[in-house]
Amino acid sequence: MNATLEAVMAQTAAQVGEALTTLLPNKPLTEAKLFDAMRWGCLAGGKRLRPLLVLQSSSLFGVSQTCALRTAAAIEFVHCYSLIHDDLPAMDDSDLRRGRPTVHKQFDDATAILAGDGLLTFAFEVLADPETHEDPNVRCNLVTALAKAAGPEGMVGGQQLDLIGETVPLDEKEVARLQRLKTGALISFSAEAGAILGRASPPQRLALRAYAHDLGLAFQIADDLLDAEGDEAVTGKPVGADAAAGKQTFVSILGLERARAQASLLADQAAKHLDIFEDRADVLRQLARYVVERRA
Amino acid sequence: MNATLEAVMAQTAAQVGEALTTLLPNKPLTEAKLFDAMRWGCLAGGKRLRPLLVLQSSSLFGVSQTCALRTAAAIEFVHCYSLIHDDLPAMDDSDLRRGRPTVHKQFDDATAILAGDGLLTFAFEVLADPETHEDPNVRCNLVTALAKAAGPEGMVGGQQLDLIGETVPLDEKEVARLQRLKTGALISFSAEAGAILGRASPPQRLALRAYAHDLGLAFQIADDLLDAEGDEAVTGKPVGADAAAGKQTFVSILGLERARAQASLLADQAAKHLDIFEDRADVLRQLARYVVERRA
């Protein structure tokens, strides 16, 4: 990985981890187990890809660090809630995430459901707070965009489509739509968030959306490739899990060769959308390359 | 029940049912099962107590019907999501609600989790939409108040406390706090919503909060009384379920006699807070009486 990008990613992960810790409720109440479970589900590390997109897109428009970090935290809360609920026995039934027990294994199923609910609700509280932006129109725009990206016609709809795909075969178009809903919508909003916070012009906002759209798709194809041919010791996940589960993925549909070519093409295309930002968007350009070349 | 109140409640229930139906996503997509489950969880009827509070408090300040109904719908979405998740096998494990299968029985556990997540997220989308109020400050205030009432330091915290109460004995103070968090916070916000929408003066907003606080507590005590001594044929629930589950309730703590006196006192006290609104608040006053005298 490019040295600049590596440094930026490490710095972002540290800053975001700190912001999440500061924001999350943490009082010694009888129900504190809920707060512990919320922290467990958020503070296990991870790439913090979505916060990176928020911070980098915000830096294009001179948005203050506080505004960008609060928005990044809200999006990461939503991402983490979705993982907690996805891992539940009724859903993917996963015992481990990032090498440690998932929330329902560490606590219990009921607490994991509530911790996810709590994180989702709390994300909106953070966004609507005047500390996130002085302009209430901007805050409402953030709430609307997050709700659309994460709601029944966004991420939650994608998760339902994913469930349905376990029993009904989906074609290439539906697999692409599944990905766009399940992970693409939140990734797009992350890149768009800087433009919303910075009250950017519509062409700038659209450029970031287009970038994030291609980046999200490239990211998912790369994920499917890692699942099919990755190094278990590096990815930390068993190889071939999707195929074993009978899941339709970009690899099962396109084959390895075409999937690899498609991911690379999308990464180039994503970077292209950033031309209007000139060299100020270099980190975002490097990120597009990283996303398809990463090994975990 | 008072004839006026009865008519108002029936009219409100009809209006709200229509608003919920119109707002909820309903497209013939592959994942439409999610939308079906969301509707199943919202459109089973019920008293629509929270929407009634929104509509009645809104009418005190001349708020438009559209604004009030959209806000009422958002709060009802949150109430229904909490019931869907509460009914899950990992939580209360209830098969029936209002005489028909709960969402996870009618669909499946995974779909019920997602339907709840979808309703919660969608509630914020509805509130932040310019159609709910022209003033973005008002919309942000609604989002903030809903997130606080429903989040980890509100309803979700109360649900966690309820879970903990199944294994750790709670004293009277903690049972009162549990109720305030689990159901009181959302009821308070419902009554306060009219004041937020109507940009009411702080004393007016506080009066409605105080009313709703006492109303919520009276409602819960009446609920506990119905559980302990209600008519199964009218309530539709088995008598003595709380005691059988070893749950601490106001009845188990105060005894029947004191619980009845306390509920009645709270209803009077709730009505008292409305003095500043004179006879314009008559429906809200009648509601306080109804809440403790209802038989289901």
Side-chain angles (χ1 to χ4, degrees):
Chain A
M1 174 163 46
N2 180 298
T4 319
L5 181 62
E6 197 168 1
V8 171
M9 284 181 83
Q11 197 202 5
T12 298
Q15 282 180 316
V16 170
E18 212 174 292
L20 299 176
T21 308
T22 310
L23 286 168
L24 283 168
N26 187 11
K27 288 178 188 160
L29 297 166
T30 313
E31 66 273 25
K33 185 181 181 184
L34 173 69
F35 309 147
D36 296 343
M38 289 167 68
R39 272 199 302 281
W40 187 267
C42 288
L43 301 178
K47 286 184 284 286
R48 309 293 191 197
L49 171 68
R50 290 156 196 79
L52 179 67
L53 289 169
V54 178
L55 266 58
Q56 287 300 317
S57 62
S58 292
S59 78
L60 294 174
F61 309 104
V63 172
S64 89
Q65 186 82 342
T66 310
C67 298
L69 268 175
R70 288 180 65 96
T71 305
I75 295 176
E76 194 67 6
F77 288 143
V78 171
H79 174 56
C80 293
Y81 121 74
S82 77
L83 299 181
I84 295 173
H85 281 190
D86 248 0
D87 287 337
L88 284 166
M91 307 269 295
D92 285 352
D93 196 13
S94 306
D95 292 354
L96 286 172
R97 181 168 288 277
R98 292 178 193 135
R100 56 181 217 162
T102 46
V103 176
H104 67 275
K105 290 307 276 186
Q106 182 68 17
F107 298 87
D108 51 65
D109 294 0
T111 301
I113 293 169
L114 293 175
D117 294 345
L119 286 169
L120 173 59
T121 314
F122 189 59
F124 290 104
E125 185 179 334
V126 170
L127 285 188
D129 191 296
E131 276 195 61
T132 299
H133 203 283
E134 55 184 10
D135 181 346
N137 262 313
V138 167
R139 303 201 300 275
C140 279
N141 287 343
L142 290 172
V143 168
T144 300
L146 178 59
K148 279 185 197 286
E153 299 186 76
M155 186 176 74
V156 170
Q159 286 168 307
Q160 185 76 47
L161 192 52
D162 202 12
L163 285 176
I164 286 165
E166 285 172 13
T167 51
V168 178
L170 305 178
D171 59 17
E172 184 180 344
K173 218 177 117 194
E174 284 286 87
V175 170
R177 202 168 72 82
L178 188 168
Q179 185 284 323
R180 203 177 67 229
L181 293 172
K182 191 177 171 181
T183 59
L186 199 60
I187 289 177
S188 287
F189 169 53
S190 303
E192 202 183 349
I196 298 175
L197 285 165
R199 285 173 285 204
S201 69
Q204 290 173 319
R205 190 164 162 174
L206 276 175
L208 282 166
R209 270 196 82 87
Y211 161 79
H213 175 269
D214 293 343
L215 181 86
L217 209 52
F219 183 87
Q220 188 58 48
I221 299 176
D223 239 28
D224 292 349
L225 282 163
L226 285 171
D227 184 90
E229 54 169 16
D231 180 347
E232 203 163 315
V234 185
T235 63
K237 294 176 218 166
V239 170
D242 288 342
K247 273 202 181 181
Q248 298 291 329
T249 70
F250 287 108
V251 171
S252 72
I253 287 172
L254 301 173
L256 284 170
E257 214 47 58
R258 277 181 60 210
R260 250 182 249 123
Q262 182 71 3
S264 186
L265 185 77
L266 282 163
D268 291 344
Q269 197 173 297
K272 264 286 189 204
H273 292 299
L274 301 173
D275 285 355
I276 56 167
F277 301 113
E278 299 173 358
D279 60 359
R280 289 174 298 140
D282 274 351
V283 172
L284 290 173
R285 278 189 199 94
Q286 287 162 22
L287 183 65
R289 205 22 57 208
Y290 159 75
V291 150
V292 293
E293 285 171 2
R294 72 205 159 96
R295 302 197 45 225
Chain B
M1 172 163 45
N2 180 298
T4 320
L5 181 63
E6 197 168 358
V8 171
M9 284 180 81
Q11 198 202 4
T12 298
Q15 282 180 315
V16 170
E18 211 174 292
L20 299 176
T21 308
T22 309
L23 286 167
L24 281 167
N26 187 9
K27 288 179 188 157
L29 297 166
T30 314
E31 65 274 25
K33 185 181 181 184
L34 173 70
F35 310 147
D36 296 342
M38 290 168 68
R39 273 199 302 281
W40 187 266
C42 288
L43 301 178
K47 286 183 285 286
R48 310 294 191 195
L49 171 68
R50 291 156 196 81
L52 179 68
L53 289 168
V54 178
L55 266 57
Q56 287 300 317
S57 63
S58 292
S59 79
L60 294 174
F61 309 103
V63 172
S64 89
Q65 186 83 341
T66 310
C67 298
L69 268 175
R70 288 181 65 94
T71 306
I75 295 177
E76 195 67 6
F77 288 143
V78 171
H79 175 56
C80 293
Y81 120 74
S82 77
L83 299 181
I84 296 172
H85 281 190
D86 248 0
D87 286 339
L88 284 166
M91 307 271 292
D92 284 353
D93 196 14
S94 305
D95 292 353
L96 287 173
R97 179 167 291 275
R98 292 178 192 136
R100 55 181 216 162
T102 46
V103 175
H104 68 274
K105 289 307 276 185
Q106 182 68 18
F107 298 87
D108 51 65
D109 294 1
T111 300
I113 293 169
L114 293 175
D117 294 345
L119 286 169
L120 172 58
T121 313
F122 189 59
F124 289 104
E125 185 179 334
V126 170
L127 285 188
D129 190 295
E131 274 195 62
T132 298
H133 203 284
E134 56 185 11
D135 181 345
N137 262 311
V138 166
R139 302 201 301 274
C140 279
N141 287 343
L142 290 172
V143 168
T144 299
L146 178 60
K148 278 186 197 287
E153 299 187 76
M155 186 175 75
V156 170
Q159 286 168 307
Q160 185 75 47
L161 192 52
D162 203 13
L163 285 176
I164 286 166
E166 285 172 13
T167 50
V168 177
L170 305 178
D171 60 17
E172 184 180 343
K173 218 178 114 194
E174 284 285 90
V175 170
R177 202 167 72 83
L178 187 168
Q179 186 282 324
R180 204 179 65 230
L181 293 172
K182 191 178 172 181
T183 58
L186 198 60
I187 289 177
S188 287
F189 169 53
S190 304
E192 203 182 349
I196 298 175
L197 285 165
R199 287 173 282 205
S201 69
Q204 290 173 320
R205 189 164 162 175
L206 276 175
L208 281 167
R209 270 197 82 87
Y211 161 80
H213 176 269
D214 293 342
L215 182 85
L217 208 52
F219 184 88
Q220 188 58 48
I221 299 176
D223 239 29
D224 291 350
L225 282 162
L226 284 171
D227 184 88
E229 55 168 15
D231 180 346
E232 204 163 311
V234 185
T235 62
K237 293 177 218 167
V239 171
D242 288 342
K247 272 201 182 182
Q248 298 292 328
T249 71
F250 287 109
V251 171
S252 71
I253 287 170
L254 302 172
L256 283 170
E257 213 49 58
R258 277 181 60 211
R260 249 183 249 121
Q262 182 71 3
S264 186
L265 184 80
L266 282 163
D268 291 344
Q269 198 173 296
K272 264 286 189 204
H273 293 298
L274 301 173
D275 285 355
I276 56 166
F277 301 113
E278 300 175 356
D279 59 359
R280 288 174 297 139
D282 274 351
V283 172
L284 290 173
R285 280 187 197 94
Q286 287 162 21
L287 183 64
R289 206 17 64 204
Y290 159 74
V291 151
V292 295
E293 285 171 3
R294 70 204 160 95
R295 301 194 49 223

